[in-house]
């Protein structure tokens, strides 16, 4: 007689799914913590100038961002090669700056409206003319607090040789 008997009708045991909800919630929590929400998708070239006295803005919810620069290579057929203004996720004409700023201001809390600041992210190779036009539109929209965004570095490197 043999020591071990073979079971002829051996069935595969069912998979234990008791820990499956724990694993799903752990993955969900991980992705919620690790995911970074992007603000705007840039459609322009935006190489920021360097500065040696840089301050970080305190509260991002009070900041309205306007980008100025040449369209990126994917958008040159559509917008050409001259400087354009990007408001949010789309390239817009100069006349839309006031509407954009006022819309953003109206969406803010009542306490934050007076402290709203416009951050201009201007490509270092852009012409001053379009920047001056944008600043005039901001004056007309009564958005008088303006900051220029730059990266930390040696400002002498901004000069072209």
């Amino acid at each position: 007689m043999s020591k071990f008997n073979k079971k002829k009708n051996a069935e595969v045991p069912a998979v234990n799914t008791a820990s499956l909800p724990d694993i799903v919630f752990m993955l969900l929590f991980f992705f919620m913590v690790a995911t970074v929400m992007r603000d705007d998708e840039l459609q322009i070239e935006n190489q920021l100038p360097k500065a040696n006295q840089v301050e970080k803005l305190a509260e991002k919810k009070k900041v309205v961002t306007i980008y100025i620069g040449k369209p990126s290579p994917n958008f040159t057929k559509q917008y050409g090669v001259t400087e354009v203004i990007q408001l949010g996720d789309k390239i817009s004409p100069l006349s839309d700056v006031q509407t954009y700023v006022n819309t953003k201001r109206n969406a803010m809390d009542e306490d934050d409206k007076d402290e709203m600041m416009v951050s201009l992210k201007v490509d270092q190779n852009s012409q001053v003319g379009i920047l001056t036009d944008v600043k005039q539109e901001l004056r007309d929209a009564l958005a008088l607090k303006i900051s220029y965004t730059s990266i930390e570095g040696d400002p002498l490197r901004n000069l072209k040789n």
Side-chain angles (χ1 to χ4, degrees):
M1 193 149 108
S2 87
K3 210 173 194 184
F4 300 103
N5 292 333
K6 287 187 177 180
K7 294 181 182 176
K8 294 193 178 190
N9 290 337
E11 293 182 13
V12 178
V15 176
N16 186 3
T17 60
S19 64
L20 191 60
D22 294 337
I23 294 170
V24 169
F25 283 116
M26 189 170 44
L27 285 172
L28 178 66
F29 182 73
F30 170 76
F31 286 114
M32 284 174 45
V33 170
T35 302
V36 176
M37 302 300 281
R38 68 173 173 81
D39 292 332
D40 300 320
E41 182 179 339
L42 282 182
Q43 298 177 357
I44 63 170
E45 294 176 0
N46 198 268
Q47 185 178 5
L48 297 174
K50 295 173 180 57
N52 57 6
Q53 296 180 0
V54 179
E55 290 182 28
K56 200 164 191 146
L57 293 175
E59 294 186 46
K60 206 169 186 182
K61 69 178 186 174
K62 298 177 184 177
V63 177
V64 176
T65 306
I66 297 175
Y67 301 94
I68 300 174
K70 292 183 180 179
S72 61
N74 299 340
F75 298 99
T76 52
K77 281 186 178 179
Q78 195 173 5
Y79 299 109
V81 293
T82 60
E83 282 88 9
V84 292
I85 303 165
Q86 181 174 338
L87 305 172
D89 279 339
K90 65 178 187 169
I91 293 177
S92 303
L94 180 65
S95 59
D96 288 352
V97 171
Q98 280 189 46
T99 307
Y100 177 73
V101 170
N102 288 330
T103 303
K104 289 289 190 174
R105 180 184 293 136
N106 291 336
M108 291 181 181
D109 293 335
E110 209 52 49
D111 298 334
D112 296 338
K113 287 182 181 181
D114 293 335
E115 298 177 18
M116 182 189 80
M117 181 177 289
V118 178
S119 174
L120 295 175
K121 293 188 176 185
V122 183
D123 184 59
Q124 71 178 9
N125 298 321
S126 291
Q127 300 295 320
V128 177
I130 192 165
L131 177 61
T132 306
D133 294 341
V134 169
K135 286 173 43 179
Q136 184 60 45
E137 289 291 317
L138 292 173
R139 272 187 219 116
D140 294 342
L142 297 177
L144 304 177
K145 294 180 183 177
I146 298 174
S147 72
Y148 295 96
T149 303
S150 63
I151 56 176
E152 195 164 355
D154 184 13
L156 296 177
R157 302 251 183 219
N158 294 329
L159 302 174
K160 292 182 183 180
N161 295 333

